[in-house]
Amino acid sequence: MSMPTAVIEHLQGDFVAETRPFCFLVARDYTLVDAWGDGGWTNLDNLEVGEDMLDRAPYLLGALAEEPQRLNYISTGSGVVVHLLTIPHGDGHYCVVLDAGQAHDQLRDKQQSANELRLLHASQQKLIARQRDLITELVEAKAELDHHRRDIERGSAGKSRFIAMMSHEFRTPLASIINYADLALEPDSNPAHIKKSIEAIARSSRHLTSLVEAVLDEARLDAGQIQLRERNFDLYVLLDDLAAMMAPLAAEKGLAFATLVDTDVPQSIRADDVCMRQILTNLLGNAVKYTEEGSIRLYVSCHGGNLVATVSDTGPGISIEDQERVFRAFERGESHDESRSGAGLGLTITLHLAQLMNGEISLDSLPGQGCTVSVHVPVSAAEDAEEAQDVLPTPAEDTYATKPTSVLVCDDDEDMLALVEHYLHRAGYGLITASNGTEAIEKTLSYEPDIVLMDVNVPGTNGVDATNSLRERGYNGPIVAMTASELSDDEKRTFTRYFRKPAPMQQLLLEIKNLTH
Amino acid sequence: MTAITSKVCVVGDFAVGKTSVVERYVNNHFSEKYLTTVGVKVDTKEVDLADRGVQNKLIIWDVAGTDRFGDTEFAYLRGAAGHIFVADGTRPLTVGTALQLHKDIEARYGLAASVLLLNKHDLGGAWDVSEQRINDLRTEFGAVFLTSARTGAEVENALACLANLIVDNELAARQ
């Protein structure tokens, strides 16, 4: 049933009043054929037939299709918004333009609110994402900080371990030095005792020097490893040295001490003698420390290319449970007596040193039945042992001065000055001493010695500056640096020769003779 | 001098700056106020391509922002010789929308001259499209411009590029 005519007419009236329809007919080339109604409200007035409608209504371009089209809400550029209806008719199109301004404004207000809300939501999402990123960054930064903190803690623990190791490793030779020095100073010591004591002090000092070298090597290596330095050496001399160092310490506690060497053990072997000495010193030192009565025995043999050194004692022994722990850093057996000194590193270091030498350690012990530790390290027999350096040798005859020669020694350490003076006098050299750089310059220029021995770290003008000053002021004699510090290459070039302290006296004397004769 | 009249449609997600780009190009003006476009806004601009002997009158249809087209929007695009796809460089999702709209239009009406504008390039701190992504877009899309309707940067170049591409197609079609 159709709507009543009166209603339809009323609605049509409302529609026309609201949309102000304007209709025109255009050909396919957009020229005007005819027009109906008032198009003034949309600037389509005063139209002429044949006029190009694209100039008046550019939105027609592309809007003419084979079937009726409706394009809503076209803002035409002059504040006018229209709906465009195109209806094909013959060779052209009817185009109906309806005023959509009022509906457009209402719709735009709603759309504006909706879009602003969406923008706000997008902005919030972005902020939330940024916040999430920041939290992630924060967590990562915290993890990195924790990592650094653990590194620092590990570094600190490493430093503590280092100090503990120093305490343990240095104590044994230091004890030997102190005890022998006391022995030599006793009023009733005869020259033979004094000589023996000094020899023992020299051996322990040499061991200490070796330790310092090893520690410095270790400090230079990132991985904290000690570099092996293999050389040919006389094993019997090493064993004699160890016996001479340990036997008195054992005797002090009333312990018997014996060293036994199998006949097939070669006298000269190739290995790292410093490591070997340290391993055996640690094992023997531990044996002496923990054994209260009975004996200590060092037995050396060869098996399948390995040198086997076995240290046995009659001490308290180590329980099975403790045997693994004693090889871990800072741990001792449950039965450890707290009165004994040391950091609990001896066996750890010994194990690491043996492993460094591609060797191994075995432990055989039961509580109350003493302890036997065996070290197996691969060694090879050597033709000849390289000559070991003496710390305090008597000057050899080939180092004696054979013509009047004066030496200026600059050193702020009185003991070192006295030591050098002793050797130089015995080798027949004239001596001039200075205790600082300024004094060295003055005396060198006054007395013109044949050679200058210059400590680098002296008060006032240091050795390098003093040497440069002497060169500038015309002194042409050899100047030999003696220092405990590292020198740069440029600093080394300042001097004729360069010696690290402690300089082997024999070598120093030989160098002095070479430079002055 | 050859005269060409070309319909160009500007499309992209809402609030990416389509109307601002057109306003900058046609009237060299920029407004900070965001005003939603409803339907379509039609402007014209004549481009003088003197070196090619062509006068190209662009009838620019600035289509309301959307992330997908319906029949109403597709009707606006009928007869377009070129498209300007606009995305907001501070909202990476709108880049994806522009690419999707490009595919949809191509599927409906076939290939046409197109340029992609990554707009709001003046908002350096909020910019969120990486160099790598831009390079990828250049490979995928060809003509990509980092524009700013606020400063006018690259807007003229982008439209000149599109006008030339349209002329290329027009001249090719006439031969």
Coordinates of all heavy atoms in Angstrom, one line a residue, chain A residues 21-75:
Chain A
P21 N 17.4 21.2 -4.3 CA 17.9 20.5 -5.4 C 18.1 21.4 -6.7 O 17.3 22.2 -6.9 CB 16.9 19.4 -5.7 CG 15.8 19.5 -4.7 CD 16.1 20.7 -3.9
F22 N 19.3 21.2 -7.3 CA 19.5 21.9 -8.5 C 20.0 20.8 -9.5 O 20.8 19.9 -9.2 CB 20.6 22.9 -8.4 CG 21.0 23.5 -9.7 CD1 20.1 24.3 -10.4 CD2 22.3 23.3 -10.2 CE1 20.5 24.9 -11.6 CE2 22.7 23.9 -11.4 CZ 21.8 24.7 -12.1
C23 N 19.4 20.8 -10.7 CA 19.6 19.7 -11.7 C 20.1 20.3 -13.0 O 19.6 21.4 -13.4 CB 18.3 19.0 -11.9 SG 18.4 17.6 -13.1
F24 N 21.0 19.6 -13.5 CA 21.5 20.0 -14.9 C 21.9 18.8 -15.7 O 22.2 17.7 -15.1 CB 22.6 21.0 -14.8 CG 23.8 20.6 -14.0 CD1 24.9 19.9 -14.6 CD2 23.9 20.8 -12.6 CE1 26.0 19.5 -13.9 CE2 25.0 20.4 -11.9 CZ 26.0 19.8 -12.5
L25 N 21.8 18.9 -17.0 CA 22.2 17.8 -17.9 C 23.5 18.2 -18.6 O 23.6 19.2 -19.1 CB 21.0 17.6 -18.9 CG 21.2 16.5 -19.9 CD1 21.3 15.1 -19.3 CD2 20.1 16.5 -21.0
V26 N 24.4 17.2 -18.5 CA 25.7 17.4 -19.2 C 26.0 16.3 -20.2 O 25.5 15.2 -20.0 CB 26.9 17.5 -18.2 CG1 26.8 18.7 -17.3 CG2 27.0 16.2 -17.4
A27 N 26.6 16.7 -21.3 CA 27.1 15.7 -22.3 C 28.3 15.0 -21.8 O 28.8 15.3 -20.7 CB 27.4 16.4 -23.6
R28 N 28.8 13.9 -22.5 CA 29.9 13.2 -22.0 C 31.2 14.0 -21.9 O 32.1 13.7 -21.1 CB 30.2 12.0 -23.0 CG 29.1 10.9 -22.9 CD 29.6 9.7 -23.7 NE 28.6 8.7 -23.7 CZ 28.3 7.9 -22.6 NH1 29.0 7.9 -21.5 NH2 27.3 7.0 -22.7
D29 N 31.2 15.1 -22.7 CA 32.4 16.0 -22.6 C 32.2 17.1 -21.5 O 33.0 18.1 -21.5 CB 32.8 16.6 -23.9 CG 31.6 17.5 -24.4 OD1 30.6 17.6 -23.7 OD2 31.8 18.2 -25.4
Y30 N 31.3 16.9 -20.6 CA 31.0 17.8 -19.5 C 30.4 19.2 -19.9 O 30.4 20.1 -19.1 CB 32.3 18.0 -18.7 CG 32.8 16.7 -18.0 CD1 33.8 16.0 -18.6 CD2 32.2 16.2 -16.9 CE1 34.3 14.9 -18.1 CE2 32.7 15.0 -16.3 CZ 33.7 14.4 -16.9 OH 34.2 13.2 -16.3
T31 N 30.0 19.3 -21.2 CA 29.4 20.6 -21.5 C 27.9 20.6 -21.1 O 27.2 19.5 -21.2 CB 29.5 20.8 -23.1 OG1 28.9 19.7 -23.8 CG2 30.9 21.1 -23.5
L32 N 27.4 21.8 -20.8 CA 26.0 21.9 -20.3 C 25.0 21.8 -21.4 O 25.2 22.4 -22.5 CB 25.8 23.2 -19.6 CG 24.5 23.5 -18.9 CD1 24.3 22.5 -17.8 CD2 24.3 24.9 -18.5
V33 N 24.0 20.9 -21.2 CA 22.9 20.8 -22.2 C 21.7 21.6 -21.7 O 21.1 22.3 -22.5 CB 22.6 19.3 -22.4 CG1 21.4 19.1 -23.4 CG2 23.8 18.5 -22.9
D34 N 21.4 21.4 -20.4 CA 20.2 22.1 -19.9 C 20.3 22.1 -18.4 O 21.1 21.4 -17.8 CB 18.9 21.4 -20.4 CG 17.7 22.3 -20.3 OD1 17.8 23.4 -19.8 OD2 16.6 21.8 -20.8
A35 N 19.5 23.0 -17.8 CA 19.5 23.1 -16.3 C 18.1 23.4 -15.8 O 17.4 24.1 -16.5 CB 20.5 24.2 -15.9
W36 N 17.8 22.9 -14.5 CA 16.5 23.2 -13.9 C 16.7 23.6 -12.4 O 17.6 23.0 -11.7 CB 15.7 21.9 -13.9 CG 15.4 21.4 -15.3 CD1 14.4 21.7 -16.1 CD2 16.3 20.5 -16.1 NE1 14.4 21.1 -17.3 CE2 15.6 20.3 -17.3 CE3 17.5 19.9 -15.9 CZ2 16.1 19.5 -18.3 CZ3 17.9 19.1 -16.9 CH2 17.3 18.9 -18.1
G37 N 16.0 24.5 -12.0 CA 16.1 25.0 -10.6 C 17.1 26.1 -10.4 O 17.7 26.6 -11.4
D38 N 17.2 26.5 -9.1 CA 18.1 27.6 -8.7 C 19.4 27.0 -8.2 O 19.5 26.5 -7.1 CB 17.4 28.5 -7.7 CG 18.3 29.7 -7.3 OD1 19.4 29.8 -7.9 OD2 18.0 30.3 -6.3
G39 N 20.5 27.2 -8.9 CA 21.8 26.7 -8.4 C 22.7 27.8 -7.9 O 23.9 27.6 -7.6
G40 N 22.1 28.9 -7.6 CA 22.9 30.1 -7.1 C 23.5 29.8 -5.7 O 24.7 30.2 -5.5
W41 N 22.9 29.0 -4.9 CA 23.4 28.7 -3.5 C 24.7 27.9 -3.6 O 25.5 27.8 -2.7 CB 22.4 27.9 -2.7 CG 21.9 26.6 -3.3 CD1 20.9 26.4 -4.1 CD2 22.6 25.3 -3.1 NE1 20.8 25.1 -4.5 CE2 21.8 24.4 -3.8 CE3 23.6 24.9 -2.3 CZ2 22.1 23.0 -3.8 CZ3 23.9 23.5 -2.3 CH2 23.2 22.6 -3.1
T42 N 24.9 27.2 -4.8 CA 26.1 26.4 -4.9 C 27.0 27.0 -6.1 O 27.8 26.2 -6.7 CB 25.8 24.9 -5.1 OG1 27.0 24.2 -5.2 CG2 25.0 24.7 -6.4
N43 N 26.9 28.3 -6.3 CA 27.6 29.0 -7.3 C 27.4 28.4 -8.7 O 28.3 28.6 -9.6 CB 29.1 29.0 -7.0 CG 29.4 29.7 -5.7 OD1 28.8 30.7 -5.4 ND2 30.3 29.1 -4.9
L44 N 26.3 27.8 -8.9 CA 26.0 27.3 -10.3 C 24.8 28.1 -10.8 O 23.8 27.6 -11.1 CB 25.6 25.8 -10.2 CG 26.8 24.8 -9.8 CD1 26.3 23.4 -9.7 CD2 28.0 24.9 -10.8
D45 N 25.1 29.4 -10.9 CA 24.1 30.3 -11.5 C 24.6 30.9 -12.8 O 25.8 30.8 -13.1 CB 23.6 31.3 -10.5 CG 24.8 32.1 -9.9 OD1 25.9 31.7 -10.2 OD2 24.6 33.0 -9.1
N46 N 23.7 31.5 -13.5 CA 24.1 32.1 -14.8 C 24.8 31.1 -15.7 O 25.8 31.5 -16.3 CB 25.0 33.3 -14.6 CG 24.3 34.4 -13.7 OD1 23.1 34.6 -13.8 ND2 25.0 35.0 -12.8
L47 N 24.3 29.9 -15.7 CA 24.9 28.9 -16.6 C 24.5 29.1 -18.0 O 23.4 29.5 -18.3 CB 24.5 27.5 -16.1 CG 25.0 27.1 -14.7 CD1 24.4 25.7 -14.4 CD2 26.5 27.1 -14.6
E48 N 25.4 28.8 -19.0 CA 25.0 28.9 -20.4 C 25.2 27.6 -21.0 O 26.1 26.8 -20.8 CB 25.9 29.9 -21.1 CG 25.7 31.3 -20.6 CD 26.6 32.3 -21.3 OE1 27.3 31.9 -22.3 OE2 26.7 33.5 -20.8
V49 N 24.2 27.2 -21.9 CA 24.3 26.0 -22.6 C 25.6 25.9 -23.4 O 26.0 26.9 -24.0 CB 23.1 25.8 -23.6 CG1 23.2 24.6 -24.5 CG2 21.8 25.7 -22.8
G50 N 26.3 24.7 -23.4 CA 27.6 24.6 -24.0 C 28.8 24.9 -23.2 O 29.9 24.7 -23.5
E51 N 28.5 25.4 -22.0 CA 29.6 25.8 -21.0 C 30.2 24.5 -20.5 O 29.6 23.5 -20.3 CB 28.9 26.6 -19.9 CG 29.9 27.1 -18.9 CD 29.3 28.0 -17.8 OE1 28.0 28.2 -17.9 OE2 30.0 28.3 -16.9
D52 N 31.6 24.6 -20.3 CA 32.3 23.4 -19.7 C 32.0 23.4 -18.2 O 32.5 24.3 -17.5 CB 33.8 23.6 -20.0 CG 34.6 22.4 -19.5 OD1 33.9 21.5 -18.9 OD2 35.8 22.3 -19.7
M53 N 31.2 22.4 -17.8 CA 30.8 22.3 -16.4 C 32.0 21.9 -15.5 O 31.8 22.1 -14.3 CB 29.7 21.3 -16.3 CG 28.3 21.9 -16.8 SD 27.9 23.5 -16.0 CE 27.5 22.9 -14.3
L54 N 33.1 21.4 -16.0 CA 34.2 21.1 -15.1 C 34.8 22.4 -14.5 O 35.4 22.3 -13.4 CB 35.3 20.4 -15.9 CG 35.2 18.8 -16.0 CD1 36.4 18.2 -16.7 CD2 34.9 18.2 -14.7
D55 N 34.7 23.5 -15.2 CA 35.2 24.8 -14.7 C 34.3 25.2 -13.5 O 34.8 25.8 -12.5 CB 35.1 25.9 -15.7 CG 36.2 25.6 -16.8 OD1 37.2 24.9 -16.5 OD2 36.1 26.2 -17.9
R56 N 33.0 24.9 -13.6 CA 32.1 25.4 -12.5 C 32.0 24.3 -11.4 O 31.7 24.7 -10.2 CB 30.7 25.6 -13.1 CG 30.7 26.6 -14.3 CD 31.1 28.0 -13.8 NE 30.1 28.6 -12.9 CZ 29.1 29.4 -13.3 NH1 29.0 29.7 -14.6 NH2 28.2 29.8 -12.5
A57 N 32.0 23.1 -11.8 CA 31.9 22.0 -10.8 C 33.0 20.9 -11.1 O 32.7 19.8 -11.7 CB 30.5 21.4 -10.9
P58 N 34.2 21.2 -10.7 CA 35.3 20.2 -11.0 C 35.1 18.9 -10.5 O 35.6 17.9 -10.9 CB 36.5 20.9 -10.4 CG 36.1 22.0 -9.6 CD 34.7 22.4 -10.0
Y59 N 34.2 18.7 -9.4 CA 34.0 17.4 -8.8 C 33.2 16.5 -9.7 O 33.0 15.3 -9.4 CB 33.2 17.6 -7.5 CG 32.0 18.5 -7.5 CD1 30.8 18.0 -8.0 CD2 32.1 19.8 -7.1 CE1 29.7 18.8 -8.0 CE2 31.0 20.6 -7.1 CZ 29.8 20.2 -7.6 OH 28.7 21.0 -7.6
L60 N 32.8 17.0 -10.9 CA 32.1 16.1 -11.8 C 33.1 15.1 -12.5 O 32.7 14.0 -13.0 CB 31.5 16.9 -13.0 CG 30.3 17.7 -12.6 CD1 29.8 18.5 -13.8 CD2 29.1 16.8 -12.0
L61 N 34.4 15.5 -12.5 CA 35.4 14.7 -13.1 C 35.5 13.3 -12.5 O 35.7 13.1 -11.3 CB 36.8 15.3 -13.1 CG 37.9 14.6 -13.8 CD1 37.6 14.5 -15.3 CD2 39.2 15.3 -13.6
G62 N 35.2 12.3 -13.3 CA 35.2 10.9 -12.8 C 33.9 10.5 -12.1 O 33.8 9.3 -11.7
A63 N 33.0 11.4 -12.0 CA 31.7 11.1 -11.3 C 30.6 10.5 -12.2 O 29.6 10.1 -11.7 CB 31.2 12.3 -10.5
L64 N 30.9 10.6 -13.5 CA 29.8 10.1 -14.4 C 30.1 8.7 -14.8 O 31.1 8.4 -15.4 CB 29.9 11.0 -15.7 CG 29.8 12.5 -15.4 CD1 29.8 13.3 -16.7 CD2 28.6 12.9 -14.5
A65 N 29.2 7.8 -14.3 CA 29.4 6.4 -14.6 C 28.2 5.8 -15.4 O 27.3 6.6 -15.8 CB 29.4 5.7 -13.2
E66 N 28.3 4.6 -15.7 CA 27.3 3.9 -16.6 C 26.0 3.7 -15.8 O 25.0 3.5 -16.4 CB 27.8 2.6 -17.1 CG 29.0 2.7 -18.0 CD 28.8 3.6 -19.2 OE1 27.7 3.5 -19.8 OE2 29.6 4.4 -19.6
E67 N 26.1 3.7 -14.5 CA 24.9 3.5 -13.7 C 24.8 4.7 -12.8 O 25.8 5.5 -12.6 CB 25.0 2.2 -12.9 CG 26.1 2.1 -11.9 CD 27.4 1.7 -12.5 OE1 27.5 1.4 -13.7 OE2 28.4 1.9 -11.8
P68 N 23.6 4.9 -12.2 CA 23.5 6.1 -11.3 C 24.5 6.0 -10.1 O 24.8 5.0 -9.6 CB 22.0 5.9 -10.8 CG 21.3 5.1 -11.8 CD 22.4 4.1 -12.4
Q69 N 25.0 7.2 -9.8 CA 25.9 7.3 -8.7 C 25.5 8.3 -7.7 O 24.7 9.3 -8.0 CB 27.3 7.8 -9.3 CG 28.0 6.9 -10.2 CD 28.6 5.7 -9.4 OE1 29.3 6.0 -8.5 NE2 28.3 4.5 -9.9
R70 N 25.9 8.1 -6.4 CA 25.6 9.1 -5.4 C 26.9 9.4 -4.7 O 27.5 8.4 -4.1 CB 24.5 8.7 -4.5 CG 24.2 9.7 -3.4 CD 23.1 9.2 -2.4 NE 23.0 10.2 -1.3 CZ 21.9 10.9 -1.1 NH1 20.9 10.8 -1.9 NH2 21.9 11.7 0.0
L71 N 27.4 10.6 -4.7 CA 28.6 10.9 -3.9 C 28.2 11.9 -2.9 O 27.7 13.0 -3.1 CB 29.6 11.6 -4.9 CG 30.1 10.7 -6.0 CD1 31.1 11.5 -6.9 CD2 30.8 9.5 -5.5
N72 N 28.3 11.5 -1.6 CA 27.9 12.3 -0.5 C 29.0 13.2 0.0 O 30.1 12.9 0.0 CB 27.4 11.4 0.7 CG 26.1 10.7 0.3 OD1 25.3 11.2 -0.5 ND2 25.9 9.5 1.0
Y73 N 28.5 14.3 0.6 CA 29.4 15.2 1.3 C 30.6 15.7 0.5 O 31.7 15.4 0.9 CB 29.8 14.6 2.6 CG 28.6 14.3 3.5 CD1 28.3 13.0 3.9 CD2 27.8 15.3 4.0 CE1 27.3 12.7 4.7 CE2 26.7 15.0 4.9 CZ 26.4 13.7 5.2 OH 25.4 13.4 5.9
I74 N 30.4 16.4 -0.6 CA 31.5 16.9 -1.3 C 31.6 18.4 -1.0 O 30.7 19.2 -1.2 CB 31.2 16.8 -2.9 CG1 31.1 15.3 -3.2 CG2 32.4 17.4 -3.6 CD1 30.7 15.1 -4.7
S75 N 32.7 18.7 -0.3 CA 33.0 20.1 0.0 C 33.5 20.8 -1.3 O 34.6 20.4 -1.7 CB 34.0 20.3 1.1 OG 33.5 19.7 2.3

